[in-house]
Amino acid sequence: MCQIRSIILIAMTVFLLSCQQADVDTHETRFMMGTLVSFTVTHADKTLAKKAIRKAAEEMQRVESIFTIYGDQPNDIKAFNQSPINTGIHFTPEISKLLKTALMIERQSLGSFNPKLALLNKLWGFSQTIAVEHPPSQQAIEKYLHGTQRCLQQQAKQWFRSTSNCQLDFGAIAKGYAIDRGIAVLRQYDIQNAMINAGGDMRLIGKHGSKDWRIGIRDPRHKDEIIATLSLHGDVSIVTSGDYERYFMYQGQRYHHILEPKTGWVSRHSQSTTVIAANAMLADAWSTALFVAGKKGIKLAEKYGLQALIIDSEGHQYTTKDMPINLLSKP
Ligand code: AMP
Ligand code: MG
């Protein structure tokens, strides 16, 4: 008997539609990176599977602690964001690499993606513990938006920021990178069939028993319904960004956590975007970028070899030609 196992409780983005594999599945869920992260490992040796999951989770927590801009623990990103302007800062190769990727996607997405909006994201407050109830003022938005484009440079392996508003936020890409690291650790433990799902950001490897992994994409306006299914195997990273993940309603309008970098206001072109890319880091960054781009993002996705589903603000569905998806309603 097939069952729907709901992976995420509140901010649920995708479902794992799983036939019971109880004899070989090891399934664990942890709270990290601001969401519930579920690990499913299909391996006969459950002791090994549990150890691999523990090690993968530790690695993902390490990544989170390096890249987060929240909490009290110091890290290099927080230090950079407080550093004097026009002063060189040395990043570890790991941070430099993720930053370069983020800046590349900023260029390729024609500015829909911007990893330097930390102050604006904090102003909107979607990642703070206290719930936000109304949008900030236009004046405050302008204040923090100013100087967030072309404000970062690398010279002689050091990073410079040219404005005090130029502050890094890896919130749209680090979760994907953490998943990639988690999968790498599972593989170190000889796990060949597994899935990590961090609140709708997923990477799966191998198969689910003798079958494909079956994924359902959430209907952005009906949280218990799915609008599409996918059957996947091999090594697939699939990430969804949605306006239902973190949001509040104010005067009948939805305000959510993905911002339009050119205005500093909430992006209004999409309800959700789902991207399949070579790894979860790229899928994560691009799902955010295409969310901001809206339906014109399909051309960008095709240009950069991504597979994508974009649901625009009116609920219309657009896919790249090769998106391996079974849509349950007509686009
Ligand atoms: P995601 O949930 O992966 O789409 O990422 C959203 C998070 O990325 C937000 O909580 C912000 O921290 C950050 N963010 C918001 N808008 C953007 C944007 N246009 N480009 C890059 N990061 C963004
Ligand atoms: Mg993202």
Side-chain angles (χ1 to χ4, degrees), residues 304-320:
Y304 292 106
L306 308 158
Q307 295 167 317
L309 161 70
I310 297 176
I311 303 180
D312 75 4
S313 52
E314 285 161 12
H316 298 132
Q317 301 163 1
Y318 303 87
T319 56
T320 53

Side-chain angles (χ1 to χ4, degrees), residues 28 79 109 135 170 175 209 240 315:
E28 289 190 16
S109 69
F170 289 90
K175 211 197 286 177
T240 297

Side-chain angles (χ1 to χ4, degrees), residues 113 171-173 201 239 241 283-288:
F113 188 86
I173 187 171
D201 297 18
V239 172
S241 287
D284 188 5
W286 273 108
S287 70
T288 310

Side-chain angles (χ1 to χ4, degrees), residues 96-163:
S96 270
K97 200 170 164 202
L98 199 68
L99 180 51
K100 281 184 191 167
T101 304
L103 294 175
M104 176 188 79
I105 293 170
E106 180 178 359
R107 277 192 308 278
Q108 292 178 338
S109 69
L110 310 172
S112 290
F113 188 86
N114 186 338
K116 295 156 279 137
L117 301 180
L119 282 178
L120 264 179
N121 289 324
K122 283 183 177 167
L123 176 72
W124 277 95
F126 289 104
S127 299
Q128 321 275 20
T129 37
I130 302 164
V132 211
E133 285 165 4
H134 58 82
S137 68
Q138 175 65 26
Q139 201 186 13
I141 288 174
E142 278 172 21
K143 182 175 162 203
Y144 291 125
L145 182 65
H146 186 72
T148 55
Q149 315 268 350
R150 291 180 297 279
C151 59
L152 205 59
Q153 267 197 2
Q154 192 190 29
Q155 273 173 23
K157 301 220 162 177
Q158 292 200 309
W159 289 91
F160 295 77
R161 61 190 195 121
S162 60
T163 64

Side-chain angles (χ1 to χ4, degrees), residues 193-206:
N193 301 289
M195 170 183 287
I196 301 179
N197 178 356
D201 297 18
M202 312 175 64
R203 184 162 174 172
L204 56 93
I205 53 173

